[in-house]
Amino acid sequence: MLVINNPEEMRQWSRERRREGSRIALVPTMGCLHEGHLSLIRLAREEADAVVVSIFVNPIQFGPAEDLEKYPRPFDADLARCRELGVAAVFAPAAGGLYAEDHSVFVEETEISTGLCGRTRPGHFRGVTTVVCKLFNLVQPDTAVFGRKDAQQALIIQRMVRDLNIPVRIITGPVVREKDGLAMSSRNRYLAPEERRQAAFIYQGLLAASAHYQAGHNDGASLLDFFRDLIAEKAPDALIEYAALVDGKSLQPVEKVTAPAMLAVAVRVGDTRLIDNIQIG
Ligand code: AMP
């Protein structure tokens, strides 16, 4: 497995693989790899001859009060995991290596990125689309793999490749969870034991809402109440940043579930911000 830090070297490596006729799949990550990431790498291996995992904690997608500095970076353990899974190359540009000092061009989606996480994290998705576009230009993958844990992000990337005619096929993988249902996340390690216990109720709340739908209720407000009530009762240290029922494609709020919808939530447990979602209908 090759570890590439230099963007030009990355481009050169990909160019050679493509010349040999290899199909390349890219899995973009910020490192601190867990089973969620690994499931995407396995998916990528099924799709391509050579898998590239990028590991880059992208500064421009973090807000000024967010956890850029303390974001975990267990680089050697990440490399070992990639090696075990047969990754061909890890692309890990240096912290300052991807942006010119006077970088001034951004890629911005302007519809589906405005709600949900876009509302509470201004500039976040602009940072994501910009870095993913740069990674696509450098790695030149045929396919890129994203997790549905970050469902809004995956939809925005799909919109970006469609609207900018970027020749990369986007595929998504399901949310991978801990035994008690908590969606795996690099940020879960910030949680103190009692916070970790309460965090499991985020998924329980989503399941409660989903069960209410399956029992014949399709009214959005009452589904959201099921989620809010369970959090209020079982996770008193959790603060709901948003809980929204949205159309599965447009991410516009829906009042009644008549087409595939998504219940998406962001919850703060202590200082840690966690997101999760579930398909409804
Ligand atoms: P991150 O390192 O947090 O930027 O995530 C890199 C990729 O892994 C993104 O496409 C995420 O959606 C995906 N991912 C993170 N956590 C999970 C999970 N629990 N299940 C599935 N995919 C995940």
Side-chain angles (χ1 to χ4, degrees):
M1 185 180 80
L2 216 62
V3 179
I4 301 173
N5 305 117
N6 182 298
E8 266 320 306
E9 230 171 86
M10 182 71 248
R11 199 200 296 276
Q12 190 58 32
W13 182 90
S14 283
R15 204 175 277 150
E16 282 161 21
R17 297 292 79 69
R18 292 173 73 88
R19 204 175 292 139
E20 293 165 356
S22 291
R23 288 166 308 148
I24 299 174
L26 169 67
V27 184
T29 82
M30 298 204 299
C32 194
L33 304 181
H34 51 65
E35 250 327 296
H37 299 112
L38 305 189
S39 70
L40 302 183
I41 295 173
R42 289 190 197 101
L43 234 155
R45 285 223 56 189
E46 289 170 16
E47 296 291 324
D49 308 302
V51 172
V52 177
V53 173
S54 62
I55 298 182
F56 181 63
V57 184
N58 175 34
I60 69 166
Q61 72 186 65
F62 285 77
E66 293 184 352
D67 57 344
L68 173 63
E69 295 305 324
K70 76 164 183 176
Y71 199 85
R73 294 165 168 89
F75 190 59
D76 291 341
D78 287 348
L79 291 186
R81 294 214 154 115
C82 289
R83 211 169 272 127
E84 280 163 22
L85 288 184
V87 168
V90 166
F91 178 42
L98 220 45
Y99 296 101
E101 206 133 284
D102 56 351
H103 172 100
S104 57
V105 176
F106 296 86
V107 177
E108 188 169 15
E109 196 288 328
T110 55
E111 290 280 335
I112 54 178
S113 62
T114 56
L116 306 178
C117 289
R119 194 182 307 268
T120 44
R121 301 184 74 188
H124 168 68
F125 286 121
R126 185 176 90 144
V128 171
T129 40
T130 300
V131 79
V132 170
C133 184
K134 285 163 75 70
L135 291 169
F136 286 179
N137 284 333
L138 291 168
V139 178
Q140 307 255 323
D142 299 276
T143 304
V145 189
F146 292 84
R148 294 202 285 275
K149 151 117 183 326
D150 300 273
Q152 185 178 17
Q153 167 175 285
L155 283 170
I156 292 168
I157 300 294
Q158 273 160 345
R159 187 67 74 94
M160 175 181 84
V161 299
R162 187 198 72 180
D163 287 358
L164 298 183
N165 306 95
I166 299 176
V168 177
R169 188 169 59 106
I170 306 300
I171 60 175
T172 64
V175 184
V176 177
R177 301 179 177 283
E178 302 285 356
K179 278 204 182 75
D180 62 5
L182 176 64
M184 287 194 184
S185 163
S186 309
R187 293 187 165 105
N188 291 352
R189 61 172 61 192
Y190 300 154
L191 297 166
E194 175 55 19
E195 293 173 343
R196 172 65 188 79
R197 196 188 66 76
Q198 293 188 22
F201 289 102
I202 297 171
Y203 185 53
Q204 299 309 318
L206 294 177
L207 287 179
S210 171
H212 187 59
Y213 169 76
Q214 270 154 18
H217 306 271
N218 73 346
D219 168 57
S222 79
L223 298 181
L224 292 174
D225 281 345
F226 259 76
F227 176 78
R228 291 208 175 90
D229 290 349
L230 193 110
I231 294 295
E233 186 194 344
K234 303 280 194 185
D237 297 334
L239 191 75
I240 299 173
E241 193 175 275
Y242 68 76
L245 187 71
V246 295
D247 178 80
K249 287 207 176 95
S250 70
L251 298 187
Q252 289 302 306
V254 293
E255 286 180 5
K256 282 200 184 305
V257 182
T258 53
M262 175 170 78
L263 178 49
V265 300
V267 177
R268 271 182 194 284
V269 185
D271 289 335
T272 307
R273 182 178 182 280
L274 302 170
I275 59 170
D276 203 347
N277 66 82
I278 196 170
Q279 303 299 311
I280 305 248

Coordinates of all heavy atoms in Angstrom, one line a residue, residues 120-151:
T120 N -27.3 25.1 10.9 CA -26.6 25.3 12.1 C -25.0 25.3 11.9 O -24.3 25.7 12.9 CB -26.9 24.2 13.2 OG1 -27.0 22.9 12.5 CG2 -28.3 24.5 13.8
R121 N -24.6 24.9 10.8 CA -23.1 24.9 10.5 C -22.9 25.7 9.2 O -22.5 25.2 8.2 CB -22.6 23.5 10.3 CG -22.8 22.6 11.5 CD -22.1 21.3 11.4 NE -20.6 21.3 11.5 CZ -19.8 20.3 11.2 NH1 -20.3 19.2 10.8 NH2 -18.5 20.5 11.4
P122 N -23.0 27.0 9.3 CA -22.9 27.8 8.1 C -21.5 27.6 7.5 O -20.5 27.6 8.2 CB -23.1 29.3 8.5 CG -23.0 29.3 10.0 CD -23.3 27.9 10.5
G123 N -21.4 27.4 6.2 CA -20.1 27.3 5.5 C -19.6 25.8 5.5 O -18.7 25.5 4.7
H124 N -20.2 25.0 6.3 CA -19.7 23.6 6.4 C -19.8 22.9 5.0 O -18.8 22.3 4.6 CB -20.6 22.8 7.4 CG -20.3 21.4 7.4 ND1 -19.1 20.8 7.8 CD2 -21.1 20.3 7.0 CE1 -19.2 19.5 7.6 NE2 -20.4 19.2 7.2
F125 N -21.0 22.9 4.4 CA -21.1 22.1 3.2 C -20.3 22.7 2.0 O -19.9 22.0 1.1 CB -22.6 21.9 2.8 CG -23.3 20.9 3.7 CD1 -24.4 21.3 4.4 CD2 -22.8 19.6 3.8 CE1 -25.0 20.4 5.3 CE2 -23.4 18.7 4.6 CZ -24.5 19.1 5.4
R126 N -20.1 24.0 2.1 CA -19.3 24.7 1.0 C -17.8 24.1 1.2 O -17.2 23.9 0.2 CB -19.3 26.2 1.2 CG -18.5 26.9 0.2 CD -18.7 28.4 0.3 NE -17.6 28.9 1.2 CZ -17.0 30.1 1.0 NH1 -17.4 30.9 0.1 NH2 -16.1 30.5 1.8
G127 N -17.4 23.9 2.4 CA -16.1 23.3 2.7 C -16.0 21.9 2.2 O -15.0 21.5 1.6
V128 N -17.1 21.2 2.4 CA -17.2 19.8 2.0 C -17.2 19.7 0.4 O -16.4 18.9 -0.1 CB -18.4 19.1 2.5 CG1 -18.6 17.7 1.9 CG2 -18.4 19.0 4.1
T129 N -18.0 20.4 -0.2 CA -18.1 20.3 -1.7 C -16.8 20.7 -2.3 O -16.3 20.1 -3.3 CB -19.3 21.1 -2.3 OG1 -19.4 22.3 -1.6 CG2 -20.6 20.3 -2.2
T130 N -16.2 21.7 -1.8 CA -14.9 22.2 -2.3 C -13.8 21.2 -2.2 O -13.1 20.9 -3.1 CB -14.5 23.5 -1.6 OG1 -15.5 24.5 -1.8 CG2 -13.2 24.1 -2.1
V131 N -13.7 20.6 -1.0 CA -12.6 19.6 -0.8 C -12.9 18.3 -1.6 O -12.0 17.8 -2.2 CB -12.4 19.3 0.7 CG1 -13.4 18.3 1.2 CG2 -10.9 18.7 0.8
V132 N -14.2 17.9 -1.7 CA -14.5 16.7 -2.5 C -14.2 16.9 -4.0 O -13.7 16.1 -4.7 CB -15.9 16.2 -2.2 CG1 -16.3 15.1 -3.2 CG2 -16.0 15.7 -0.7
C133 N -14.5 18.1 -4.5 CA -14.2 18.4 -5.9 C -12.7 18.4 -6.1 O -12.3 17.9 -7.1 CB -14.8 19.8 -6.2 SG -14.6 20.3 -7.9
K134 N -12.0 19.0 -5.2 CA -10.5 18.9 -5.3 C -10.0 17.5 -5.3 O -9.1 17.1 -6.1 CB -9.8 19.7 -4.2 CG -9.9 21.2 -4.4 CD -9.7 22.0 -3.1 CE -8.2 22.1 -2.7 NZ -7.4 22.9 -3.6
L135 N -10.5 16.7 -4.4 CA -10.1 15.3 -4.3 C -10.5 14.5 -5.6 O -9.7 13.7 -6.1 CB -10.8 14.6 -3.1 CG -10.3 15.0 -1.8 CD1 -11.2 14.5 -0.6 CD2 -8.8 14.6 -1.5
F136 N -11.6 14.8 -6.2 CA -12.0 14.2 -7.5 C -11.0 14.6 -8.5 O -10.6 13.8 -9.4 CB -13.4 14.6 -7.9 CG -14.5 13.9 -7.0 CD1 -15.9 14.2 -7.3 CD2 -14.2 13.0 -6.1 CE1 -16.9 13.5 -6.6 CE2 -15.2 12.3 -5.3 CZ -16.6 12.6 -5.6
N137 N -10.6 15.8 -8.6 CA -9.7 16.3 -9.6 C -8.3 15.7 -9.5 O -7.7 15.4 -10.5 CB -9.6 17.8 -9.5 CG -10.8 18.5 -10.1 OD1 -11.4 18.0 -11.0 ND2 -11.0 19.7 -9.7
L138 N -7.9 15.4 -8.2 CA -6.6 14.8 -8.0 C -6.6 13.3 -8.2 O -5.7 12.8 -8.8 CB -6.1 15.2 -6.6 CG -5.8 16.7 -6.4 CD1 -5.6 17.0 -4.9 CD2 -4.5 17.1 -7.2
V139 N -7.6 12.7 -7.6 CA -7.6 11.2 -7.7 C -8.2 10.7 -9.0 O -7.9 9.5 -9.4 CB -8.3 10.6 -6.4 CG1 -8.4 9.1 -6.4 CG2 -7.7 11.1 -5.1
Q140 N -9.1 11.5 -9.6 CA -9.7 11.0 -10.8 C -10.4 9.7 -10.7 O -10.1 8.8 -11.5 CB -8.7 11.0 -12.0 CG -7.9 12.3 -12.1 CD -8.4 13.1 -13.3 OE1 -8.7 12.6 -14.4 NE2 -8.4 14.4 -13.1
P141 N -11.2 9.5 -9.7 CA -11.8 8.1 -9.5 C -13.0 7.9 -10.5 O -13.6 8.9 -11.0 CB -12.4 8.2 -8.1 CG -12.7 9.7 -7.9 CD -11.7 10.4 -8.7
D142 N -13.3 6.6 -10.8 CA -14.5 6.3 -11.5 C -15.7 6.4 -10.6 O -16.8 6.7 -11.0 CB -14.3 4.9 -12.1 CG -13.2 4.7 -13.0 OD1 -13.3 5.1 -14.2 OD2 -12.1 4.4 -12.5
T143 N -15.4 6.0 -9.4 CA -16.5 5.8 -8.4 C -16.0 6.5 -7.1 O -14.9 6.4 -6.7 CB -16.8 4.3 -8.1 OG1 -17.1 3.7 -9.4 CG2 -17.9 4.1 -7.2
A144 N -17.0 7.1 -6.3 CA -16.6 7.5 -5.0 C -17.7 7.0 -4.0 O -18.9 6.9 -4.4 CB -16.5 9.0 -4.9
V145 N -17.3 6.7 -2.8 CA -18.3 6.0 -1.9 C -18.5 6.9 -0.7 O -17.5 7.3 0.0 CB -17.7 4.6 -1.5 CG1 -18.8 3.9 -0.7 CG2 -17.3 3.8 -2.7
F146 N -19.7 7.1 -0.3 CA -20.1 8.0 0.9 C -21.1 7.2 1.7 O -21.8 6.3 1.3 CB -20.7 9.3 0.4 CG -19.7 10.2 -0.3 CD1 -19.5 10.0 -1.7 CD2 -19.0 11.2 0.4 CE1 -18.5 10.8 -2.3 CE2 -18.1 12.0 -0.3 CZ -17.9 11.8 -1.6
G147 N -21.1 7.6 3.0 CA -22.0 6.9 4.0 C -23.3 7.6 4.1 O -23.3 8.9 4.1
R148 N -24.4 6.9 4.3 CA -25.7 7.5 4.5 C -25.8 8.0 5.9 O -26.9 8.6 6.2 CB -26.8 6.5 4.1 CG -26.8 6.2 2.6 CD -28.1 5.7 2.1 NE -28.4 4.3 2.5 CZ -27.9 3.2 1.9 NH1 -27.2 3.4 0.8 NH2 -28.2 2.0 2.3
K149 N -24.9 7.8 6.8 CA -24.9 8.5 8.1 C -24.9 10.0 7.9 O -25.6 10.7 8.6 CB -23.6 8.1 8.9 CG -23.1 9.1 9.8 CD -23.2 8.6 11.2 CE -22.8 9.6 12.2 NZ -21.8 10.6 11.8
D150 N -24.2 10.4 6.9 CA -24.2 11.9 6.5 C -25.0 12.0 5.2 O -24.5 12.3 4.1 CB -22.8 12.3 6.2 CG -21.9 12.2 7.5 OD1 -21.9 13.1 8.3 OD2 -21.3 11.1 7.6
A151 N -26.3 11.7 5.4 CA -27.2 11.6 4.2 C -27.3 12.9 3.4 O -27.3 12.9 2.2 CB -28.6 11.2 4.7

